[in-house]
């Protein structure tokens, strides 16, 4: 089982503040790194799929960076809003398997 | 509408009674997989399939079987369910490894 770790496990953010959190993954046999957003009582939805070292992707106020050589990715939320409250999952794709981290649960306080 | 469907959505059963959870996608995706979600553990891959008649074990395959006879369907079979298989199960599909996974709505299984 591949070791994909996310930190912190949870965080609380004041509305309007920016935040970021980390996903670390094996640096060997890398194929792709996925980020998903998972709201309570719903299914995970894809945010980004990144494949190249140095990749940066952005969707609205959310962005992500990728460092495959050292095995980490950051997810950034700029100007957090209550609707950003969710669990954010990263997943490492290598050897045809997708291994998920346990997630970072973000709670945005109004 | 492009979607992944799972049935049933909720199931309570007893130890040893064989069951099948169906999964179907209408996007002509080649890659399909099953995951289980347990508190504090994240999503763990049970089985995956690269294409029709091609399946392989994920990280937690024990106690499960799958088949991929058609591109759109990928059923999960529990031959003899046990209480430790009580979990939330997700089916997902995608074009391939570089592509986002589309998740089904989930199946909450309780084995008594």
């Amino acid at each position: 089982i591949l070791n994909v770790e996310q930190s912190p496990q949870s965080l609380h953010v004041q509305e309007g503040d920016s935040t970021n959190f980390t996903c670390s993954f094996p640096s060997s046999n890398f194929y792709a790194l996925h980020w998903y957003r998972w709201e309570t009582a719903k299914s995970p939805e894809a945010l980004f799929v990144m494949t190249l070292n140095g990749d940066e992707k952005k969707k609205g106020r959310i962005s992500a960076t990728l460092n495959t050589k050292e095995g980490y990715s950051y997810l950034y939320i700029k100007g957090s809003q209550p609707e950003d409250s969710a669990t954010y999952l990263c997943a490492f794709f290598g050897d045809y398997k997708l291994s998920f981290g346990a997630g970072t649960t973000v709670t945005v306080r109004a | 509408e492009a979607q992944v469907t799972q049935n049933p959505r909720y199931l309570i059963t007893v130890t040893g009674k064989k069951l099948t959870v169906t999964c179907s996608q209408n996007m002509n995706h080649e890659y399909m997989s099953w995951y289980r979600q347990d508190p504090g553990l994240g999503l763990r891959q049970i089985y995956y399939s690269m294409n029709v008649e091609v399946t392989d074990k994920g990280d937690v395959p024990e106690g499960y079987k799958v088949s991929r006879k058609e591109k759109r369907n990928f059923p999960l079979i529990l031959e003899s369910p046990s209480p430790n298989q009580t979990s939330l199960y997700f089916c997902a599909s995608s074009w391939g490894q570089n592509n986002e996974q589309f998740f089904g709505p989930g199946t909450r299984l309780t084995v008594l």
Side-chain angles (χ1 to χ4, degrees):
Chain A
I1 296 179
L2 296 174
N3 199 21
V4 180
E5 295 185 351
Q6 292 187 246
S7 65
Q9 185 176 359
S10 64
L11 61 89
H12 294 259
V13 188
Q14 199 66 33
E15 183 178 357
D17 287 351
S18 297
T19 188
N20 65 83
F21 37 93
T22 311
C23 171
S24 64
F25 52 86
S27 53
S28 59
N29 295 324
F30 176 87
Y31 208 87
L33 194 282
H34 296 217
W35 279 101
Y36 292 85
R37 171 190 161 88
W38 191 4
E39 292 182 71
T40 303
K42 293 186 178 181
S43 304
E45 292 185 348
L47 286 171
F48 309 113
V49 177
M50 296 186 287
T51 58
L52 298 175
N53 184 45
D55 251 356
E56 292 187 22
K57 298 235 176 174
K58 187 176 180 182
K59 183 182 285 188
R61 293 178 291 98
I62 301 177
S63 60
T65 60
L66 179 66
N67 183 324
T68 60
K69 294 182 179 178
E70 295 181 42
Y72 65 84
S73 175
Y74 288 117
L75 193 82
Y76 300 88
I77 304 177
K78 184 178 178 181
S80 304
Q81 299 297 309
E83 58 264 32
D84 295 328
S85 296
T87 296
Y88 292 84
L89 302 172
C90 71
F92 169 86
F93 217 145
D95 292 332
Y96 304 107
K97 296 181 184 180
L98 195 60
S99 297
F100 281 83
T104 294
T105 298
V106 175
T107 304
V108 181
R109 296 180 288 210
Chain B
E1 179 190 356
Q3 60 183 346
V4 179
T5 57
Q6 291 179 230
N7 283 292
R9 294 289 312 280
Y10 303 91
L11 179 61
I12 300 174
T13 189
V14 296
T15 299
K17 187 176 181 181
K18 181 180 178 180
L19 67 91
T20 299
V21 184
T22 64
C23 172
S24 184
Q25 51 93 5
N26 62 1
M27 294 169 278
N28 204 32
H29 285 166
E30 294 187 345
Y31 188 96
M32 296 186 74
S33 58
W34 276 102
Y35 303 90
R36 61 179 288 173
Q37 162 67 24
D38 301 293
L41 292 179
L43 288 164
R44 292 182 292 168
Q45 193 173 46
I46 304 170
Y47 268 93
Y48 65 94
S49 170
M50 298 289 290
N51 213 325
V52 175
E53 302 291 2
V54 181
T55 64
D56 209 344
K57 296 176 181 179
D59 291 326
V60 288
E62 295 77 20
Y64 304 95
K65 287 174 56 178
V66 293
S67 69
R68 188 91 181 272
K69 292 183 169 56
E70 308 163 280
K71 200 170 190 179
R72 64 183 292 125
N73 296 323
F74 190 45
L76 180 70
I77 303 157
L78 284 73
E79 293 272 4
S80 183
S82 62
N84 64 12
Q85 292 178 298
T86 292
S87 189
L88 176 61
Y89 291 86
F90 285 101
C91 179
S93 71
S94 71
W95 289 112
Q97 299 177 68
N98 283 354
N99 306 101
E100 64 183 282
Q101 301 266 299
F102 289 83
F103 284 84
T107 294
R108 187 164 293 280
L109 172 67
T110 301
V111 183
L112 302 174

